[in-house]
Amino acid sequence: ERKNHPVKFSFHLAHSHIFATGNVNDQKRYYSIMSEVDTGAPSELKKYQTYAVNVDPDQDDKATEIKLCNFSRPHMRAFHFSWWSFFIAFFIWFAIAPLLGEIKNTLKLDKQEIWTSNIVGVGSTIFMRFLLGPACDKFGARVLFTVVLCFASIPTALTGTVNSALTLSILRGFIGVAGGTFVMCQYWTTTMFTKEVAGTANALVGGWGNLGGGVTQIVVGTALFPLFKYFFDDGSRTEERVAELAWRTVCIVPACVAFLSGLLVYCFADDAPKGNYKDLKKNGLMPEVSAAASFRDGAFNFNTWVLFIQYACCFGVELTMNNAAALYFREEFNQTTETAAAIASIFGWMNLFARGLGGFMSDKANTKYGMRGRLIVHSLFLAAEGGMVLVFANSKSLVFSIILMVFFSAFVQAAEGTTYGIVPYVNPPATGSIAGIVGAGGNSGAVAFGMGFRQLPYKDAFYIMGFSIL
């Protein structure tokens, strides 16, 4: 055998020596070398050799399918951590919204002061989305999710320290950092799934994440707030004092959940299908990315700014409604804090399916008509949304207003889904930066529409919103 198969004979000798010594590391190296000899080529250095979903090797092992009931690493684990992290970020971002009526009464604030805090809360996110976009291209979504969630949980827990309009605005500005997680949410699924299903994946995680804006209305405004009032009502305190103690402490609960979520996503998920960015760069499998160059490539693309404006007209509307809905139903229809919060939550609950539906229809239109199909579907949802805003503004019936809000919200979320069905195609190497810039458009829209609600009657503000969308 030494004469006819010298290489094979040498490995037999190596096998005898290695397994006689019992050295585990040498045994692992032996199997690695044998694998390379058997296949005739070295195995690719990546964290996982097999996956729970079908992947495309030509697209860096990105998944070609979505298995919602699967939680395996790396693809589906990242999918579920992506929507959950954005969900809890959205939850703490708007946890204070259903409490604004109580805060307004306790601190004797007027409408303009409340809306100033709303504008600051969504405005601070604009800078974060511009910053986090290129940061995703450089560091990946997982690490940034951890940093932002853990940071934003601190001011959320400090909600009870608010004592004036100024401190309310400052606090909400810091909490608004959580809104930047949308960039990581969209970037992560774009990293894990092929372009053919990225629209659906992006829409699902974005929609389920946005759902936090509706769930927080119910959980904080309708469940936790009354529960905390019950705990603080010892019979000797006035109703106003009990309500004040409740709103000053209730936000500690979502803050703790957000901090824990930030730690979990860091420990139990991966940056990309082949592993974490740090390891991929160390092994020469991923080039070092310049955040500045990535941002420049995204910002100098005209299509980025077209989507920026269009996203202002859908996600900007959602953010505005998250701030306005509870106050609107409380003031226009004389509802209690708990009831108004429950009604307002309906707007966010549409995210359960509507944004995913938008992404799915975008993918289907792309299959049949290419990019033009995505653009047509996107335009139709935006037009329907604008029309529904104008009808909603003229409703005088509580029941009819709620019904209209359901359809209005569905079109808003669907338009958001179709927007991010287009984003991965604009400039793939700069997807993080483009996702960040377009995402910032949503917050910019919320600031603009918020100014209208701050200065004008509700009906006039809704008119401006509706015609702007159209």
Side-chain angles (χ1 to χ4, degrees):
E1 190 165 22
R2 176 188 294 172
K3 179 180 178 181
N4 297 325
H5 305 284
V7 174
K8 186 176 179 181
F9 180 79
S10 298
F11 274 108
H12 283 323
L13 291 178
H15 177 277
S16 300
H17 171 73
I18 289 170
F19 283 85
T21 61
N23 189 309
V24 175
N25 290 328
D26 286 343
Q27 292 171 13
K28 289 181 179 178
R29 281 194 293 272
Y30 169 82
Y31 278 124
S32 176
I33 294 170
M34 283 299 292
S35 175
E36 293 175 16
V37 171
D38 292 341
T39 62
S43 299
E44 184 179 2
L45 287 172
K46 55 185 181 181
K47 190 171 183 179
Y48 304 99
Q49 297 301 319
T50 59
Y51 305 106
V53 294
N54 292 323
V55 302
D56 184 354
D58 294 330
Q59 294 189 51
D60 292 324
D61 286 359
K62 291 183 179 181
T64 60
E65 60 181 350
I66 302 170
K67 293 184 176 180
L68 294 180
C69 295
N70 189 290
F71 296 85
S72 300
R73 299 174 76 162
H75 303 90
M76 295 313 301
R77 181 73 59 84
F79 176 92
H80 289 294
F81 263 129
S82 184
W83 74 259
W84 170 256
S85 298
F86 185 43
F87 174 92
I88 198 61
F90 225 102
F91 195 102
I92 62 174
W93 191 9
F94 289 100
I96 200 171
L99 307 174
L100 288 174
E102 302 296 338
I103 295 173
K104 181 181 178 181
N105 292 338
T106 299
L107 303 181
K108 304 296 188 291
L109 305 179
D110 57 31
K111 177 185 176 182
Q112 284 71 29
E113 289 171 325
I114 289 293
W115 271 99
T116 296
S117 77
N118 289 340
I119 292 168
V120 172
V122 296
S124 63
T125 309
I126 297 174
F127 170 74
M128 288 304 299
R129 292 193 174 189
F130 276 116
L131 178 67
L132 290 170
C136 278
D137 288 324
K138 186 173 182 64
F139 302 108
R142 179 182 60 98
V143 174
L144 296 176
F145 257 134
T146 298
V147 172
V148 174
L149 283 176
C150 290
F151 174 84
S153 66
I154 297 172
T156 303
L158 296 175
T159 298
T161 63
V162 169
N163 55 23
S164 66
L166 177 61
T167 54
L168 176 62
S169 293
I170 292 173
L171 181 89
R172 297 198 70 186
F174 281 109
I175 295 175
V177 169
T181 53
F182 173 73
V183 180
M184 289 88 84
C185 169
Q186 298 296 281
Y187 180 86
W188 210 357
T189 43
T190 300
T191 302
M192 290 289 181
F193 295 88
T194 61
K195 289 181 181 179
E196 290 74 19
V197 296
T200 303
N202 287 350
L204 285 173
V205 295
W208 293 354
N210 284 358
L211 186 61
V215 174
T216 195
Q217 300 275 359
I218 282 230
V219 173
V220 175
T222 308
L224 288 179
F225 179 66
L227 181 63
F228 274 58
K229 284 202 300 183
Y230 173 79
F231 287 147
F232 285 114
D233 188 4
D234 61 358
S236 63
R237 297 187 176 107
T238 63
E239 184 177 342
E240 291 76 13
R241 179 57 178 165
V242 169
E244 179 182 355
L245 290 173
W247 74 253
R248 287 189 182 278
T249 54
V250 70
C251 287
I252 294 175
V253 176
C256 292
V257 177
F259 192 88
L260 178 61
S261 297
L263 297 179
L264 290 175
V265 73
Y266 181 81
C267 296
F268 298 105
D270 307 283
D271 294 333
K274 295 182 180 180
N276 294 327
Y277 279 16
K278 181 180 178 181
D279 298 327
L280 294 175
K281 292 175 182 177
K282 181 180 178 181
N283 293 321
L285 299 177
M286 179 180 180
E288 194 65 53
V289 177
S290 167
S294 171
F295 181 80
R296 184 172 59 251
D297 291 342
F300 285 1
N301 192 310
F302 177 75
N303 292 319
T304 301
W305 297 102
V306 173
L307 291 171
F308 176 95
I309 295 171
Q310 293 179 343
Y311 202 58
C313 291
C314 49
F315 189 61
V317 171
E318 179 176 2
L319 293 180
T320 303
M321 288 300 292
N322 283 338
N323 280 320
L327 282 173
Y328 176 75
F329 285 104
R330 189 173 185 219
E331 295 174 3
E332 294 295 307
F333 296 99
N334 299 315
Q335 301 297 303
T336 65
T337 296
E338 292 83 354
T339 303
I343 296 172
S345 72
I346 297 172
F347 194 94
W349 278 104
M350 292 301 101
N351 276 296
L352 190 61
F353 73 93
R355 184 161 182 157
L357 178 64
F360 176 76
M361 292 185 69
S362 180
D363 284 342
K364 286 298 181 183
N366 178 68
T367 301
K368 193 168 185 179
Y369 302 107
M371 179 52 67
R372 182 168 295 279
R374 289 189 187 273
L375 296 175
I376 291 172
V377 170
H378 182 55
S379 300
L380 289 175
F381 279 130
L382 280 173
E385 173 198 342
M388 291 304 300
V389 172
L390 298 178
V391 178
F392 177 79
N394 287 284
S395 175
K396 300 297 182 183
S397 163
L398 175 62
V399 175
F400 191 48
S401 292
I402 294 173
I403 294 172
L404 286 172
M405 189 174 68
V406 169
F407 290 98
F408 163 29
S409 176
F411 287 127
V412 170
Q413 328 299 354
E416 295 168 6
T418 56
T419 302
Y420 274 83
I422 299 169
V423 165
Y425 289 85
V426 177
N427 185 354
T431 295
S433 294
I434 294 169
I437 294 171
V438 174
N443 291 81
S444 300
V447 169
F449 293 137
M451 293 294 291
F453 280 88
R454 182 181 185 274
Q455 300 298 134
L456 301 171
Y458 283 114
K459 187 174 182 179
D460 293 343
F462 277 123
Y463 273 172
I464 291 174
M465 178 186 285
F467 285 117
S468 297
I469 297 167
L470 290 174

